[in-house]
Amino acid sequence: MSRHCLISLVVLVFVIVPAVLSEPQDVYERALADILRLKHTADCIIDFTVNGKGQNQTYTRLAEFVDKFGSRLAGSQNLENAIDYMINILTKEGLDNVHGEAVTIPHWVRGKEFAELLQPRKHPLAILGLGYSVGTSPHGITAEVLVVRSFDELKLRASEAKGKIVVYNEDFVDYGTTVAYRSRGASEGAKVGAVATLIRSVTPFSLYTPHTGMQDYEAGVPKIPTACITIEDAQMLWRMSQRGERIVIKLFMGAKNLPPVQSRNTVAEIKGSKYPEQVVLVSGHLDSWDVGQGAMDDGGGAFISWQALSIIRQLGLRPKRTLRAVLWTAEEFGLIGGQSYWQKHKADIANYDLVMESDIGTFRPRGIAFTGNRNATKIMKVLLKTLLAKIGATQLTSPAEVSDIPWWIENGVPGGSLLNDNKDYFFYHHSNADMMTVENAHVLDLCSAVWAVVAFSVADMEDMLPR
């Protein structure tokens, strides 16, 4: 250990210890000692991943995967082929307990689809049907259009909606707010007699790119076809409507909801040396929408989770607890893989130390978003500041932003997600723009290093995180 590192550790002891004296001494003293002990190992993980033999490994592996399989829609044979590929490659790498866990999932197919503006002029409209949408009749739907800016406006103009295609030209506020139009747009339109709905894509930016996603039909409300259109077309249709022009669109969608099929969550481990029954879980989802390559959503998250285990294996390390990677299936159709895993494993919840998920981009990492009690949060803050300062990923925010693991967190297990500079995430999300070009090799290395350091360090501490 260098003199500089030794001085840094001494400073950390004097800075950190007073901050935790008010809490139970034994837990924090052991946690602090473990974190300081792990500093050299964390540096080795970072050096190997960012500058050593592991450099560019995540990017190379992800690029080969998405180039080989492209998009991986839940229910498709292509997704199952991709899962077979992953199980084979994880086994060849020598990871422990590699297997698929069966999950029954929905099977929606897009089919052929198109839309065309017929009046006041002819213009093809780029569309992407929404998950679970029904199709049109074989002849399609040709109808006048009602353009609205909000659900409130639709209610005010309900008498105008019957027999029409409702177009929503809602403003983008943020994803969590605006996605309601994608989720509920069809049912809200059907309630006032619309024959179909077209929703302005849920994104702050567009280069004439429609964005797909899942929508939810409300029970007891007629199911009508629904799709997203581009920002550009939604705004154009709004301008036409404001000029009082008669708008007519022809819509055809061959979407079908087929009987459920079998899929699998993909699981691999490094078995713990001292507490093998206890688990630190890292995860991302393998399925994607049937557009682009699913490189960002969520190939990057799935592959840094594989890479976290791969780095540990390549370095010959084995933590005290079991490191488990789970690559979820059918996340895009309602967190189906995550729910299935919870139901199958929740009886063992006492042995889950930390659950982590990366599904909000793998851009430059700033740290971890975390949900846990006060004691666990303080330990994690120390861990990040001590072990990830070398790559500037020391921030801890709250809460964790997760999709497939919320049940674990709601029931007391500490949870984390990758905190990264993802301000452009929704530019590409669920669109044909979600390609490997979005990813950066060096940044993926940094993300992998963060994921591996946090997972290994928590798994190698003597005590589980407080809950």
Side-chain angles (χ1 to χ4, degrees):
M1 184 179 294
S2 70
R3 179 175 177 272
H4 173 75
C5 289
L6 182 59
I7 292 171
S8 297
L9 293 181
V10 171
V11 170
L12 283 167
V13 169
F14 282 99
V15 170
I16 295 169
V17 169
V20 298
L21 284 178
S22 60
E23 302 298 332
Q25 287 281 320
D26 54 346
V27 173
Y28 280 106
E29 287 176 358
R30 284 197 300 270
L32 180 59
D34 278 330
I35 290 168
L36 297 179
R37 169 180 61 82
L38 288 161
K39 180 67 169 65
H40 175 70
T41 302
D43 286 345
C44 288
I45 290 171
I46 291 169
D47 291 341
F48 174 86
T49 307
V50 178
N51 302 307
K53 291 182 179 179
Q55 186 178 29
N56 297 336
Q57 205 170 72
T58 311
Y59 182 94
T60 300
R61 289 171 165 180
L62 178 59
E64 182 177 357
F65 177 76
V66 300
D67 289 346
K68 182 178 182 66
F69 295 103
S71 59
R72 304 166 300 281
L73 187 68
S76 69
Q77 186 58 50
N78 194 49
L79 173 61
E80 297 313 302
N81 292 343
I83 292 170
D84 288 339
Y85 171 90
M86 289 305 301
I87 290 174
N88 181 56
I89 210 162
L90 293 167
T91 301
K92 284 184 176 179
E93 191 175 20
L95 295 173
D96 302 324
N97 194 26
V98 177
H99 65 283
E101 291 192 0
V103 184
T104 301
I105 66 170
H107 187 194
W108 177 84
V109 294
R110 180 179 303 283
K112 183 180 179 181
E113 59 184 15
F114 68 85
E116 184 179 12
L117 176 66
L118 301 179
Q119 292 185 32
R121 68 178 176 90
K122 288 198 171 185
H123 169 67
L125 303 170
I127 69 167
L128 282 174
L130 297 177
Y132 292 121
S133 177
V134 296
T136 64
S137 73
H139 302 292
I141 296 171
T142 300
E144 286 192 48
V145 169
L146 173 65
V147 187
V148 297
R149 297 297 301 271
S150 67
F151 289 138
D152 288 340
E153 183 182 354
L154 179 63
K155 290 177 183 177
L156 288 173
R157 302 179 66 186
S159 61
E160 303 174 54
K162 188 172 182 179
K164 292 183 179 177
I165 296 172
V166 168
V167 172
Y168 295 96
N169 180 39
E170 79 285 351
D171 287 329
F172 183 87
V173 178
D174 56 60
Y175 185 75
T177 301
T178 312
V179 76
Y181 286 90
R182 193 189 77 200
S183 301
R184 294 168 43 209
S187 289
E188 294 302 319
K191 289 176 185 178
V192 293
V195 293
T197 55
L198 296 174
I199 293 98
R200 172 172 158 173
S201 289
V202 186
T203 177
F205 176 76
S206 176
L207 289 173
Y208 203 69
T209 45
H211 296 237
T212 188
M214 194 185 83
Q215 60 86 37
D216 297 304
Y217 286 124
E218 186 177 325
V221 177
K223 296 179 180 181
I224 60 175
T226 183
C228 274
I229 59 175
T230 66
I231 291 177
E232 293 90 339
D233 283 339
Q235 291 178 339
M236 178 186 70
L237 294 170
W238 170 255
R239 292 192 301 271
M240 289 175 172
S241 73
Q242 293 303 290
R243 291 191 288 264
E245 296 176 287
R246 182 173 183 263
I247 304 170
V248 178
I249 285 176
K250 180 174 183 179
L251 173 68
F252 175 83
M253 292 176 61
K256 293 180 181 179
N257 287 282
L258 301 175
V261 295
Q262 288 296 300
S263 186
R264 293 154 291 170
N265 287 325
T266 305
V267 180
E269 295 179 342
I270 293 178
K271 192 65 71 176
S273 62
K274 186 174 182 180
Y275 308 113
E277 73 285 357
Q278 297 175 3
V279 175
V280 169
L281 183 147
V282 292
S283 66
H285 66 88
L286 270 187
D287 68 300
S288 73
W289 285 102
D290 55 336
V291 289
Q293 291 181 305
M296 182 193 76
D297 183 21
D298 184 32
F303 271 61
I304 68 166
S305 296
W306 165 24
Q307 191 68 10
L309 270 64
S310 182
I311 292 164
I312 303 309
R313 186 203 60 79
Q314 291 177 72
L315 288 172
L317 301 171
R318 187 173 291 275
K320 294 176 182 177
R321 290 176 190 82
T322 293
L323 282 180
R324 179 177 298 162
V326 183
L327 312 182
W328 312 108
T329 190
E331 185 273 347
E332 298 291 6
F333 277 86
L335 322 179
I336 309 299
Q339 291 185 67
S340 174
Y341 184 88
W342 163 250
Q343 292 299 330
K344 291 177 180 177
H345 296 274
K346 63 183 180 181
D348 197 33
I349 191 171
N351 281 321
Y352 278 73
D353 188 4
L354 173 67
V355 290
M356 300 201 297
E357 180 178 20
S358 173
D359 187 18
I360 195 67
T362 41
F363 300 94
R364 182 170 291 274
R366 294 190 283 119
I368 294 290
F370 182 74
T371 299
N373 70 17
R374 179 170 176 264
N375 296 338
T377 300
K378 290 175 75 172
I379 290 171
M380 289 297 290
K381 283 182 178 179
V382 174
L383 189 151
L384 295 187
K385 288 180 179 179
T386 307
L387 304 184
L388 290 173
K390 192 170 187 175
I391 53 175
T394 59
Q395 295 183 43
L396 190 79
T397 63
S398 182
E401 192 166 355
V402 301
S403 52
D404 280 294
I405 57 173
W407 307 278
W408 300 92
I409 296 172
E410 290 165 5
N411 284 277
V413 179
S417 59
L418 184 69
L419 182 65
N420 65 112
D421 289 329
N422 61 354
K423 59 182 173 55
D424 297 340
Y425 179 80
F426 291 108
F427 290 10
Y428 312 103
H429 182 249
H430 293 183
S431 79
N432 275 305
D434 184 357
M435 304 286 284
M436 195 63 203
T437 308
V438 178
E439 301 291 348
N440 175 279
H442 176 63
V443 170
L444 276 173
D445 287 342
L446 294 174
C447 291
S448 298
V450 169
W451 223 226
V453 166
V454 172
F456 179 84
S457 299
V458 172
D460 204 51
M461 295 172 72
E462 184 59 33
D463 297 306
M464 293 176 67
L465 290 173
R467 62 172 75 180

